[in-house]
Amino acid sequence: MSHSDRYDLDRSKRPNMLLKFDYILFAAVIGLAVMGIIILPSAMLGYKESVIKSTFIVQIGGFIVGIIIAIALSCVDYIVFRHMAIFFYGANILAMLLVYSPLGVERYGSRNWIDLGITTYQPAELMKLATIIMVALCLEDMKLDNGRTLYNVLRIGFFFALPLGLVLLQKDLGTALVFVFFFVIMLFVAGLKMRYFAVTAVAALIAFPFVWKFALNDARRSRILTFFDPSLDPIGAGFQARLAKYAIGSGQISGKGLGNGPINNAGQLPVKDSDFVFSVVCEELGFIGASIIIFLFFVLLIKMIGISRRSSDYFGQYLAIGIFAMFLFHFLENIGMNIGIMPITGVPLPFISKGGSSLITNFFSIGVMLSISARRKSGGFFGESS
């Protein structure tokens, strides 16, 4: 594909959105968000009534605003993000720096929130999408230039390393792992040679002791160590991890019913409205409720792969696969740490966990995906030619 092929679509002709709109993808997202709204009151049992009310209002508001953003972005040609990439990226970097200002708020040992008065905002959420857009643009330039020069490699490395460094300074291991995961997947799809991955792996091994010492707080180090040996903290992180698994198993087929989960009601699940919301779902809605969520995520991820495969240009392809990888990691890590096969890192479950900034960012990402989908080459459910 040459540079002239970037605009292989006739951008003067708008797609018929009623025909091109990806209703299946959008329905899966709405289903997940509705499940999150349904489970949120139960997941916040034991909290102050004022906190529950304000959180629920923020979640509903994020849901409504998110839908509007997603539909609006689906009507906008995603090519606009190529032209605005550096400005979008820069604005989010500035927002990341604001956490170190008097507006910054510390939670769970990590300083990664901004106090907006009526609510709080986590800049790292939208920074993930901004980084994906910037890396997608650089990878497209590299592909179309038919070369992987040192300049291109350093350029991609810089745009990835800067936000990752800021996230690590905020002591947010979960979000840092999201960045690493989607970056590696994007490089792999772009066809970079294995020596680049080898160099990245060596750099990660060298950096690990410094990350462990300076970028992780005591609580996060304890969670990771307890994952490998629960006896290290039998009444703390190890006990909480076991309770999460007990809650999942106790729900059986149909669950205990909303608000009736014994372990949930006892207030023993840690961060049960976010990190361990899947345990609440399993305890109160059982295997049926958990299966619905997993099925909807499966549909979402499969559709994203198809959209990436049928994208009309490299930028759309890399952008779509980056968004796919971001959601995939959240899905695997959150459910994995709930069932005990992944360390506890504080990664929320998209559309299900509470959080207005996370919800709006997820809908923003879906809006970009819908835009790519509406302008992709013709294809079926999985992206094959019809």
Side-chain angles (χ1 to χ4, degrees):
M1 182 183 291
S2 65
H3 280 274
S4 62
D5 291 329
R6 289 180 179 219
Y7 303 97
D8 58 346
L9 287 174
D10 183 353
R11 300 286 176 179
S12 65
K13 294 182 180 179
R14 288 188 176 185
N16 186 328
M17 291 307 300
L18 292 178
L19 296 177
K20 292 287 189 176
F21 191 83
D22 201 323
Y23 294 100
I24 295 177
L25 174 65
F26 193 64
V29 169
I30 295 298
L32 286 168
V34 169
M35 288 289 290
I37 291 172
I38 289 173
I39 202 65
L40 182 60
S42 290
M44 297 192 71
L45 286 175
Y47 292 22
K48 292 181 179 180
E49 186 176 346
S50 59
V51 173
I52 296 175
K53 183 178 179 180
S54 62
T55 302
F56 194 74
I57 291 174
V58 169
Q59 197 76 3
I60 292 293
F63 176 69
I64 295 172
V65 172
I67 290 177
I68 295 172
I69 290 174
I71 293 176
L73 285 176
S74 72
C75 299
V76 176
D77 193 335
Y78 66 90
I79 208 76
V80 71
F81 287 105
R82 180 187 286 129
H83 305 306
M84 296 177 59
I86 190 64
F87 302 105
F88 188 54
Y89 179 91
N92 280 280
I93 289 292
L94 290 176
M96 291 280 289
L97 294 173
L98 283 178
V99 302
Y100 302 107
S101 73
L103 295 175
V105 177
E106 184 172 326
R107 291 182 178 178
Y108 311 117
S110 300
R111 189 178 180 86
N112 52 6
W113 297 81
I114 297 174
D115 186 0
L116 300 179
I118 58 175
T119 186
T120 55
Y121 171 66
Q122 188 175 9
E125 288 296 325
L126 202 53
M127 188 73 246
K128 289 183 289 190
L129 180 59
T131 304
I132 289 172
I133 293 172
M134 204 68 222
V135 171
L137 176 62
C138 293
L139 287 173
E140 183 194 46
D141 288 342
M142 182 181 290
K143 190 79 171 182
L144 296 177
D145 288 339
N146 295 317
R148 297 174 177 83
T149 64
L150 180 61
Y151 167 75
N152 283 326
V153 173
L154 292 176
R155 184 174 168 228
I156 293 175
F158 172 79
F159 286 124
F160 165 70
L162 179 57
L164 177 64
L166 291 175
V167 169
L168 288 173
L169 286 175
Q170 296 172 5
K171 301 185 184 300
D172 189 348
L173 175 63
T175 301
L177 291 175
V178 177
F179 273 82
V180 173
F181 185 80
F182 72 63
F183 182 67
V184 170
I185 295 297
M186 291 176 76
L187 295 185
F188 179 78
V189 170
L192 264 68
K193 295 180 180 179
M194 291 306 298
R195 65 172 178 266
Y196 292 107
F197 294 100
V199 170
T200 301
V202 171
L205 289 174
I206 294 173
F208 179 77
F210 300 96
V211 172
W212 181 265
K213 177 67 177 178
F214 301 107
L216 300 182
N217 55 40
D218 292 338
R220 297 191 186 279
R221 283 193 289 265
S222 176
R223 285 179 168 185
I224 294 173
L225 292 173
T226 303
F227 169 72
F228 294 103
D229 185 3
S231 64
L232 292 175
D233 190 8
I235 61 174
F239 179 64
Q240 294 170 341
R242 288 200 303 273
L243 279 176
K245 289 185 282 188
Y246 293 155
I248 290 173
S250 69
Q252 300 184 16
I253 299 297
S254 57
K256 306 293 185 182
L258 287 171
N260 296 322
I263 297 177
N264 176 33
N265 286 334
Q268 295 175 314
L269 286 173
V271 201
K272 58 182 183 159
D273 53 357
S274 180
D275 298 3
F276 287 91
V277 70
F278 186 73
S279 296
V280 178
V281 170
C282 292
E283 184 179 37
E284 301 195 348
L285 300 180
F287 177 78
I288 295 175
S291 296
I292 292 173
I293 288 177
I294 292 173
F295 172 75
L296 291 173
F297 268 113
F298 179 77
V299 172
L300 179 70
L301 294 171
I302 289 295
K303 289 293 294 181
M304 287 181 171
I305 292 176
I307 292 169
S308 177
R309 289 182 59 190
R310 303 306 302 174
S311 173
S312 298
D313 54 29
Y314 287 123
F315 178 66
Q317 178 186 356
Y318 300 145
L319 182 54
I321 208 66
I323 294 173
F324 157 80
M326 178 180 71
F327 279 109
L328 176 63
F329 184 85
H330 273 268
F331 172 68
L332 294 178
E333 169 60 18
N334 182 274
I335 293 181
M337 71 185 189
N338 272 260
I339 63 178
I341 63 172
M342 297 289 281
I344 300 171
T345 58
V347 172
L349 188 59
F351 303 106
I352 308 294
S353 297
K354 72 134 187 182
S357 57
S358 174
L359 188 59
I360 290 177
T361 298
N362 289 334
F363 270 110
F364 196 111
S365 301
I366 292 299
V368 174
M369 189 66 75
L370 289 170
S371 176
I372 300 171
S373 177
R375 293 155 184 86
R376 72 188 189 280
K377 300 170 186 176
S378 62
F381 183 90
F382 295 98
E384 299 89 355
S385 297
S386 299

